[in-house]
Amino acid sequence: DSGVTQTPKHLITATGQRVTLRCSPRSGDLSVYWYQQSLDQGLQFLIQYYNGEERAKGNILERFSAQQFPDLHSELNLSSLELGDSALYFCASSAVVLGGGEQFFGPGTRLTVL
Amino acid sequence: DAKTTQPTSMDCAEGRAANLPCNHSTISGNEYVYWYRQIHSQGPQYIIHGLKNNETNEMASLIITEDRKSSTLILPHATLRDTAVYYCIVRVESFAGANSKLTFGKGITLSVRP
Protein backbone atom coordinates (compact mmCIF):
# COMPACT_ATOMS: atom_id res chain seq x y z
CA ASP A 1 0.00 0.00 0.00
CA SER A 2 1.66 3.22 -1.21
CA GLY A 3 -0.54 5.51 0.86
CA VAL A 4 -1.93 7.18 -2.25
CA THR A 5 -5.64 6.62 -2.80
CA GLN A 6 -7.62 7.03 -5.99
CA THR A 7 -11.34 6.93 -6.60
CA PRO A 8 -13.20 5.51 -8.30
CA LYS A 9 -11.43 2.27 -9.13
CA HIS A 10 -13.43 1.74 -12.29
CA LEU A 11 -15.43 4.14 -14.39
CA ILE A 12 -17.54 3.31 -17.43
CA THR A 13 -19.07 6.15 -19.38
CA ALA A 14 -20.13 7.16 -22.86
CA THR A 15 -18.48 9.32 -25.48
CA GLY A 16 -19.06 13.02 -25.01
CA GLN A 17 -19.43 12.75 -21.26
CA ARG A 18 -17.37 14.34 -18.51
CA VAL A 19 -15.81 12.55 -15.54
CA THR A 20 -13.77 13.50 -12.50
CA LEU A 21 -11.03 11.32 -11.06
CA ARG A 22 -9.91 11.93 -7.51
CA CYS A 23 -6.54 11.42 -5.83
CA SER A 24 -5.45 11.76 -2.23
CA PRO A 25 -1.67 11.92 -1.83
CA ARG A 26 0.34 10.41 0.97
CA SER A 27 0.14 12.36 4.18
CA GLY A 28 2.50 15.31 3.98
CA ASP A 29 3.31 15.00 0.27
CA LEU A 30 2.90 18.33 -1.49
CA SER A 31 3.46 17.19 -5.09
CA VAL A 32 0.85 15.32 -7.08
CA TYR A 33 1.36 13.90 -10.56
CA TRP A 34 -1.11 12.45 -13.02
CA TYR A 35 -0.18 9.79 -15.57
CA GLN A 36 -2.16 8.04 -18.28
CA GLN A 37 -1.47 4.48 -19.37
CA SER A 38 -3.02 3.27 -22.58
CA LEU A 39 -2.19 0.17 -24.59
CA ASP A 40 -0.69 2.08 -27.50
CA GLN A 41 1.01 4.97 -25.68
CA GLY A 42 2.31 3.34 -22.52
CA LEU A 43 2.69 5.35 -19.32
CA GLN A 44 2.66 9.07 -20.05
CA PHE A 45 2.98 12.04 -17.74
CA LEU A 46 0.05 14.43 -17.87
CA ILE A 47 0.49 17.14 -15.25
CA GLN A 48 2.09 17.97 -11.91
CA TYR A 49 0.86 20.14 -9.05
CA TYR A 50 2.77 21.34 -6.04
CA ASN A 51 0.97 22.79 -3.06
CA GLY A 52 -1.95 23.91 -5.18
CA GLU A 53 0.00 25.31 -8.10
CA GLU A 54 0.55 23.77 -11.50
CA ARG A 55 4.26 22.98 -11.90
CA ALA A 56 4.69 20.98 -15.07
CA LYS A 57 2.62 19.87 -18.02
CA GLY A 58 3.09 16.88 -20.23
CA ASN A 59 0.98 15.47 -23.02
CA ILE A 60 -2.29 16.60 -21.53
CA LEU A 61 -5.15 17.31 -23.90
CA GLU A 62 -7.02 20.60 -23.73
CA ARG A 63 -10.16 18.62 -22.88
CA PHE A 64 -8.42 17.52 -19.67
CA SER A 65 -7.82 19.72 -16.66
CA ALA A 66 -6.66 19.22 -13.13
CA GLN A 67 -6.44 21.04 -9.86
CA GLN A 68 -5.04 20.55 -6.40
CA PHE A 69 -7.08 21.71 -3.44
CA PRO A 70 -5.95 23.27 -0.13
CA ASP A 71 -6.17 19.88 1.57
CA LEU A 72 -3.75 18.67 -1.16
CA HIS A 73 -6.08 16.19 -2.81
CA SER A 74 -6.24 16.49 -6.57
CA GLU A 75 -8.86 15.98 -9.23
CA LEU A 76 -8.42 15.24 -12.90
CA ASN A 77 -11.33 16.32 -15.06
CA LEU A 78 -11.82 14.71 -18.43
CA SER A 79 -14.45 16.17 -20.73
CA SER A 80 -15.90 15.49 -24.18
CA LEU A 81 -14.68 11.96 -23.76
CA GLU A 82 -13.61 9.95 -26.77
CA LEU A 83 -13.07 6.23 -27.20
CA GLY A 84 -9.33 6.84 -27.19
CA ASP A 85 -9.45 8.24 -23.68
CA SER A 86 -10.05 4.75 -22.35
CA ALA A 87 -7.02 4.07 -20.19
CA LEU A 88 -5.65 3.60 -16.72
CA TYR A 89 -5.11 6.90 -14.94
CA PHE A 90 -2.55 6.94 -12.15
CA CYS A 91 -1.88 9.55 -9.57
CA ALA A 92 1.45 9.73 -7.77
CA SER A 93 2.74 11.87 -4.96
CA SER A 94 6.15 12.81 -3.68
CA ALA A 95 7.49 14.72 -0.75
CA VAL A 96 9.71 17.10 -2.67
CA VAL A 97 9.29 19.33 -5.69
CA LEU A 98 12.99 19.58 -6.30
CA GLY A 99 12.87 17.07 -9.14
CA GLY A 100 14.11 14.26 -7.00
CA GLY A 101 13.04 11.45 -4.80
CA GLU A 102 10.66 8.66 -5.38
CA GLN A 103 7.11 9.00 -6.49
CA PHE A 104 4.47 6.85 -4.83
CA PHE A 105 1.73 5.68 -7.15
CA GLY A 106 -1.89 4.99 -6.38
CA PRO A 107 -3.77 1.93 -7.61
CA GLY A 108 -5.21 3.79 -10.58
CA THR A 109 -8.63 4.46 -12.06
CA ARG A 110 -9.60 2.38 -15.06
CA LEU A 111 -11.69 4.50 -17.42
CA THR A 112 -13.70 2.84 -20.14
CA VAL A 113 -15.41 5.05 -22.70
CA LEU A 114 -18.08 3.29 -24.73
CA ASP B 1 16.18 13.37 -19.87
CA ALA B 2 18.46 10.80 -21.43
CA LYS B 3 16.85 7.90 -23.25
CA THR B 4 17.19 4.35 -21.99
CA THR B 5 17.25 1.05 -23.86
CA GLN B 6 16.13 -2.20 -22.31
CA PRO B 7 15.59 -5.69 -23.72
CA THR B 8 11.95 -6.50 -24.31
CA SER B 9 11.78 -9.46 -22.00
CA MET B 10 13.69 -11.99 -19.98
CA ASP B 11 12.99 -14.81 -17.61
CA CYS B 12 14.66 -16.44 -14.67
CA ALA B 13 14.07 -19.32 -12.32
CA GLU B 14 12.53 -18.76 -8.92
CA GLY B 15 15.17 -18.38 -6.24
CA ARG B 16 17.87 -17.32 -8.68
CA ALA B 17 19.21 -13.83 -9.18
CA ALA B 18 17.57 -11.75 -11.89
CA ASN B 19 19.93 -9.31 -13.61
CA LEU B 20 18.08 -6.68 -15.62
CA PRO B 21 20.27 -4.57 -17.91
CA CYS B 22 19.72 -1.00 -19.06
CA ASN B 23 21.67 1.16 -21.48
CA HIS B 24 21.73 4.92 -21.06
CA SER B 25 24.70 5.96 -23.17
CA THR B 26 23.67 9.63 -23.40
CA ILE B 27 23.29 10.12 -19.66
CA SER B 28 24.49 13.46 -18.30
CA GLY B 29 26.53 14.00 -15.19
CA ASN B 30 23.58 15.27 -13.17
CA GLU B 31 21.15 12.53 -14.18
CA TYR B 32 20.17 9.74 -11.85
CA VAL B 33 19.16 6.21 -12.80
CA TYR B 34 15.80 5.13 -11.36
CA TRP B 35 14.11 1.75 -11.47
CA TYR B 36 10.39 1.21 -11.09
CA ARG B 37 8.30 -1.86 -11.67
CA GLN B 38 4.67 -2.44 -12.50
CA ILE B 39 3.00 -5.67 -11.53
CA HIS B 40 0.14 -6.43 -13.91
CA SER B 41 -1.96 -3.23 -14.01
CA GLN B 42 -1.08 -1.98 -10.54
CA GLY B 43 0.50 1.40 -9.96
CA PRO B 44 4.24 1.51 -10.63
CA GLN B 45 6.39 0.84 -7.61
CA TYR B 46 9.70 2.52 -6.86
CA ILE B 47 12.60 0.09 -6.47
CA ILE B 48 15.88 1.97 -6.26
CA HIS B 49 17.89 4.83 -7.71
CA GLY B 50 21.50 5.93 -7.91
CA LEU B 51 23.89 8.46 -9.40
CA LYS B 52 27.22 6.72 -9.80
CA ASN B 53 27.83 4.54 -6.80
CA ASN B 54 26.30 1.11 -6.49
CA GLU B 55 23.22 1.08 -4.32
CA THR B 56 21.44 -1.61 -2.35
CA ASN B 57 18.20 -1.69 -0.45
CA GLU B 58 15.86 -4.35 0.82
CA MET B 59 14.42 -4.95 -2.63
CA ALA B 60 17.36 -4.89 -5.00
CA SER B 61 20.86 -3.77 -5.90
CA LEU B 62 21.77 -1.27 -8.59
CA ILE B 63 25.11 -1.56 -10.31
CA ILE B 64 26.14 1.43 -12.44
CA THR B 65 29.19 1.12 -14.69
CA GLU B 66 32.05 3.50 -14.14
CA ASP B 67 31.30 5.44 -17.33
CA ARG B 68 27.62 5.50 -16.25
CA LYS B 69 26.48 4.44 -19.71
CA SER B 70 24.74 1.34 -18.45
CA SER B 71 23.39 -0.20 -15.31
CA THR B 72 22.04 -3.47 -13.98
CA LEU B 73 19.23 -4.02 -11.54
CA ILE B 74 19.73 -7.16 -9.51
CA LEU B 75 16.95 -8.97 -7.70
CA PRO B 76 19.02 -11.37 -5.59
CA HIS B 77 16.44 -14.12 -5.07
CA ALA B 78 13.60 -13.73 -7.54
CA THR B 79 10.16 -14.96 -6.55
CA LEU B 80 7.01 -15.46 -8.58
CA ARG B 81 5.75 -12.14 -7.15
CA ASP B 82 8.62 -10.37 -8.92
CA THR B 83 7.05 -11.08 -12.32
CA ALA B 84 6.45 -7.57 -13.64
CA VAL B 85 7.47 -4.91 -16.14
CA TYR B 86 10.63 -3.17 -14.95
CA TYR B 87 11.32 0.38 -16.08
CA CYS B 88 14.76 1.96 -16.14
CA ILE B 89 14.41 5.76 -16.10
CA VAL B 90 17.04 8.46 -16.25
CA ARG B 91 16.08 11.71 -14.59
CA VAL B 92 17.68 14.99 -13.69
CA GLU B 93 17.55 15.99 -10.07
CA SER B 94 16.85 19.69 -10.08
CA PHE B 95 14.67 22.45 -8.78
CA ALA B 96 12.77 22.72 -12.02
CA GLY B 97 9.27 21.38 -11.83
CA ALA B 98 9.44 20.24 -15.41
CA ASN B 99 12.06 17.69 -14.51
CA SER B 100 9.97 16.12 -11.78
CA LYS B 101 8.07 13.90 -14.14
CA LEU B 102 9.00 10.30 -14.82
CA THR B 103 9.41 9.38 -18.48
CA PHE B 104 8.58 5.72 -18.89
CA GLY B 105 9.76 3.67 -21.84
CA LYS B 106 8.46 0.24 -22.69
CA GLY B 107 10.42 -1.45 -19.91
CA ILE B 108 11.49 -5.08 -19.71
CA THR B 109 9.05 -7.81 -18.86
CA LEU B 110 10.55 -10.17 -16.30
CA SER B 111 8.92 -13.56 -16.01
CA VAL B 112 9.93 -15.63 -13.01
CA ARG B 113 9.29 -19.33 -13.58
CA PRO B 114 8.74 -21.91 -10.83
Side-chain angles (χ1 to χ4, degrees), chain B residues 37-109:
Chain B
R37 73 179 182 183
Q38 185 175 25
I39 298 172
H40 193 42
S41 294
Q42 297 177 22
Q45 178 189 24
Y46 166 83
I47 301 173
I48 200 167
H49 77 285
L51 182 63
K52 50 186 175 184
N53 296 322
N54 298 336
E55 302 287 344
T56 295
N57 62 20
E58 65 280 0
M59 285 183 71
S61 294
L62 174 60
I63 308 297
I64 302 174
T65 58
E66 198 165 334
D67 63 7
R68 304 208 323 122
K69 293 186 176 181
S70 66
S71 60
T72 301
L73 178 75
I74 301 172
L75 307 179
H77 307 286
T79 70
L80 299 179
R81 284 192 300 269
D82 292 320
T83 292
V85 178
Y86 287 77
Y87 297 97
C88 170
I89 298 167
V90 170
R91 193 175 82 166
V92 173
E93 303 277 290
S94 78
F95 291 91
N99 290 323
S100 294
K101 68 178 188 285
L102 293 168
T103 301
F104 291 86
K106 296 189 186 305
I108 177 173
T109 300

Side-chain angles (χ1 to χ4, degrees), chain A residues 66-97:
Chain A
Q67 54 184 327
Q68 186 179 26
F69 295 86
D71 66 353
L72 300 178
H73 91 271
S74 177
E75 292 180 357
L76 180 67
N77 300 296
L78 314 177
S79 61
S80 302
L81 285 168
E82 302 175 359
L83 296 177
D85 298 328
S86 295
L88 269 168
Y89 291 84
F90 291 106
C91 164
S93 73
S94 70
V96 294
V97 73

Side-chain angles (χ1 to χ4, degrees), chain B residues 1-20:
Chain B
D1 294 333
K3 190 178 163 71
T4 63
T5 305
Q6 300 176 256
T8 303
S9 64
M10 66 175 289
D11 62 22
C12 77
E14 191 175 20
R16 306 299 293 266
N19 297 311
L20 286 70

